[in-house]
Amino acid sequence: MKTKITLTALALIAAVALAACGSSSNGAATASSPTATVSLDNNLLVDSSGAALYTSDQEKSGTVMCTGACTQIWLPLKANGQPSAGNGVSGKLGTVKRADGTRQVTLDGRPLYRFAEDSTKGKATGDNVKDAFGSQHFTWHAETQGGSSGSSGSSGGSGSSGGSGGGSYNY
């Protein structure tokens, strides 16, 4: 009987140790996924968690300019593999290599971001926001099925429109 308890205890310890190893990434697994999915939600492009996706005017050539402090507000949509398009998404999804070596999802060559201030799925509160990080200035637009929304609005739900987010910020 004593041996049986010891084996059970060892099995339990091993299971706990394996579970701890799998979850010790400090959120790194949520920063990028093997396959990022871009979907359409009420004409607004969103990531797999329903967060609105944005591009900046300054990165329309595909060159990543949002680095450092900028990525604390504008969160790059990262992927470890080829991103996939959900139903209704047109345009070519791809990736671009960032200076830190990670891969960022692009739509028609433009890097995609989430806005840290968005608190509701499917709402684009960062549409038309103008901000600056150091000497780099940005104008951000929520992506809609027809391209950047500009002032046309975003998405699903009362009180949400593309023009509601606009503002200027210096970080």
Side-chain angles (χ1 to χ4, degrees), residues 12-96:
L12 182 59
I13 290 169
V16 169
L18 287 173
C21 288
S23 65
S24 64
S25 65
N26 290 333
T30 60
S32 64
S33 60
T35 303
T37 301
V38 175
S39 301
L40 194 59
D41 180 8
N42 204 18
N43 201 42
L44 180 69
L45 292 180
V46 297
D47 69 4
S48 59
S49 67
L53 296 173
Y54 299 84
T55 59
S56 74
D57 288 346
Q58 292 69 25
E59 294 182 335
K60 65 184 171 187
S61 69
T63 302
V64 173
M65 300 169 77
C66 178
T67 60
C70 180
T71 62
Q72 299 302 307
I73 305 297
W74 299 98
L75 312 169
L77 179 60
K78 297 180 183 178
N80 292 328
Q82 180 63 30
S84 62
N87 289 337
V89 175
S90 63
K92 182 174 169 48
L93 291 176
T95 62
V96 64

